Amino acid sequence: LRIKDFQAPFRNARIWRRADTRAVTQKVLDELRAIEQEARDSAQTNHPETPPATAIDANIPARLELRHLRTFVEVAAQGTLGRAAEAVGVTQPALSRQMRELEFDVGVALLERVTRGVKLTAPGGEFLADAQAVLSVVDHLPREAQRAERGTAQRCLIGVVPHPFVDKIVIRAIADLEGRGSRVRVGTRPIATPQQAAALRDSSIDIAIGHTFPVSHTAAELRGLLCQPLVRDEVCAVLVARGHALAARGSIALEDLRGVPFLWPARSFFPKMYDTVFGLFAAANFHPRIEAEYDGLQTMWSMAAQGIGWTLGWRSHLAEPPRGVLAIPLVDFRLPWGAQLMYRNDESRAAILSAIDAISGCARQLFPMINADQAVLPSRHASETVIS
């Protein structure tokens, strides 16, 4: 019951750090604002005499759980209740009951039964987009918590690719960080360049050091990320086993490699890179012999060391080839290459910023080939600038 002669203001507040610009934080804030506004509008339209707090509580279905949203998304993807039930590991009657509960809680029909299964209604299509957005935020929260914990514990996880120069930079940077007053513990994880942007966004790693070449990342792939060139290199060598028939040569032309198996990843691994390499082969009227496709540089190098075939190498390999192989100059093939540092543009953790600073400084000391005005590039296709 209301007290007629007593009123005291009582407010709920959202509190967050001013410097926190992470997408997950802004998404949660936007959702809270939208819920509050919808509740306020509903209270003013339907229940003007009901206090706002009661209206907000009435807009939260008591039974709505994340499992309902996940099941609904699976039903929408599968198109039938039977396949969806099998995918989520429940019985079809249990799944049907969840869908009925969900439709009752949201107050509209989300699914329409058709001859071969179910399809989304118009409100169901809109609800699907909202459910996917909510689940994306929820699924991202544990990794964000782990990311925050790493920063608090002065830990930094770097995704790296195999490259002689990258190894030297990381080793020097770790030594530099160990010698500082506030010790930063650094760990590394091998992650291929095409997967590094996603690993940064989902907080699996804190920093990435990947390959750069004319077709590395698009502007959309680098949205929310910053890139910094570290070293330049060039694909201009052939890697073969030390006992291979070609190992004694001082240089090799593509024509010399006809009939020798070419060790290279499948096109699906990195289509743009694959097309670039084979486009240069075609321009030289060279068609490599492909007997199998391999995943990852280390695998290709291991296969080459066993004498199974040849693969492309970098200029840096001429001095430091991978174990078990020789690097021989390739006289009629050139492809710009290099390495770059990549991290999130909302990075604010002191430990990670210290690691970024150490890596950048060590790269300039070891390989003084990047101009000062190239130190930090905007969030766009940075590799073209590096190569040019």
Side-chain angles (χ1 to χ4, degrees):
L1 299 177
R2 287 192 179 186
I3 302 175
K4 294 182 179 180
D5 54 351
F6 178 85
Q7 288 185 347
F10 186 86
R11 297 179 181 274
N12 291 318
R14 295 178 292 272
I15 304 175
W16 67 97
R17 294 176 60 176
R18 183 188 302 274
D20 191 348
T21 59
R22 291 173 298 164
V24 63
T25 303
Q26 299 304 315
K27 178 64 177 178
V28 171
L29 291 172
D30 291 343
E31 292 294 334
L32 290 174
R33 294 188 188 100
I35 291 173
E36 182 183 21
Q37 186 60 48
E38 290 176 3
R40 186 181 296 112
D41 294 342
S42 176
Q44 292 175 354
T45 303
N46 302 321
H47 306 285
E49 75 286 352
T50 305
T54 304
I56 292 177
D57 293 341
N59 277 270
I60 302 176
R63 294 180 302 181
L64 183 58
E65 301 177 10
L66 290 175
R67 64 187 178 93
H68 293 97
L69 300 184
R70 296 189 192 280
T71 303
F72 174 73
V73 170
E74 192 63 38
V75 170
Q78 297 291 344
T80 71
L81 296 178
R83 287 199 299 265
E86 183 178 352
V88 300
V90 300
T91 64
Q92 184 169 336
L95 184 141
S96 298
R97 184 171 60 254
Q98 287 187 27
M99 293 300 96
R100 288 195 300 269
E101 292 174 353
L102 180 61
E103 290 180 321
F104 177 83
D105 287 337
V106 300
V108 296
L110 303 175
L111 299 170
E112 179 182 351
R113 277 63 178 176
V114 295
T115 304
R116 296 186 176 181
V118 294
K119 69 176 184 179
L120 296 176
T121 63
E126 296 182 6
F127 186 80
L128 174 63
D130 292 337
Q132 291 171 328
V134 170
L135 292 175
S136 175
V137 172
V138 170
D139 292 340
H140 192 56
L141 287 175
R143 289 188 291 269
E144 281 293 313
Q146 295 168 5
R147 177 175 180 264
E149 190 275 335
R150 288 198 299 269
T152 303
Q154 295 290 94
R155 293 190 295 116
C156 176
L157 186 57
I158 307 176
V160 297
V161 292
H163 190 286
F165 294 167
V166 171
D167 295 341
K168 291 181 179 180
I169 291 171
V170 171
I171 291 172
R172 177 75 69 86
I174 291 175
D176 178 62
L177 291 167
E178 288 282 350
R180 296 189 181 187
S182 179
R183 179 171 175 256
V184 177
R185 294 179 294 169
V186 177
T188 61
R189 176 185 298 174
I191 299 182
T193 302
Q195 284 82 52
Q196 288 186 345
L200 283 169
R201 289 196 181 91
D202 69 17
S203 303
S204 298
I205 57 175
D206 303 303
I207 299 172
I209 301 179
H211 295 300
T212 58
F213 35 92
V215 294
S216 61
H217 291 291
T218 65
E221 292 168 338
L222 291 179
R223 185 173 58 253
L225 303 175
L226 292 176
C227 295
Q228 175 180 335
L230 296 178
V231 296
R232 293 174 183 167
D233 205 343
E234 184 180 36
V235 178
C236 61
V238 170
L239 302 181
V240 295
R242 293 182 178 275
H244 197 278
L246 297 172
R249 300 200 178 192
S251 62
I252 292 179
L254 290 175
E255 182 64 30
D256 301 326
L257 299 168
R258 292 188 185 274
V260 182
F262 178 47
L263 312 175
W264 201 247
R267 185 179 184 275
S268 58
F269 177 72
F270 200 172
K272 293 180 292 184
M273 183 60 195
Y274 186 98
D275 293 343
T276 299
V277 169
F278 280 80
L280 292 174
F281 285 161
N285 195 28
F286 173 68
H287 303 284
R289 175 183 170 186
I290 299 176
E291 296 182 346
E293 297 171 326
Y294 303 90
D295 185 12
L297 291 171
Q298 298 286 5
T299 301
M300 293 187 299
W301 295 343
S302 176
M303 295 296 103
Q306 297 176 43
I308 295 176
W310 68 279
T311 189
L312 292 169
W314 307 306
R315 183 177 299 279
S316 56
H317 280 152
L318 297 175
E320 299 181 53
R323 180 178 300 180
V325 302
L326 287 176
I328 305 172
L330 187 56
V331 298
D332 52 355
F333 185 95
R334 292 289 184 276
L335 181 64
W337 204 270
Q340 69 178 1
L341 176 67
M342 187 161 55
Y343 52 94
R344 287 166 49 158
N345 62 8
D346 63 354
E347 187 57 73
S348 60
R349 295 167 295 164
I352 311 307
L353 295 176
S354 295
I356 293 171
D357 176 65
I359 293 171
S360 303
C362 292
R364 287 193 294 270
Q365 293 172 10
L366 292 170
F367 309 102
M369 58 186 70
I370 303 299
N371 298 329
D373 60 355
Q374 291 179 305
V376 177
L377 297 177
S379 180
R380 61 182 179 84
H381 190 174
S383 60
E384 292 182 352
T385 304
V386 178
I387 298 304
S388 64

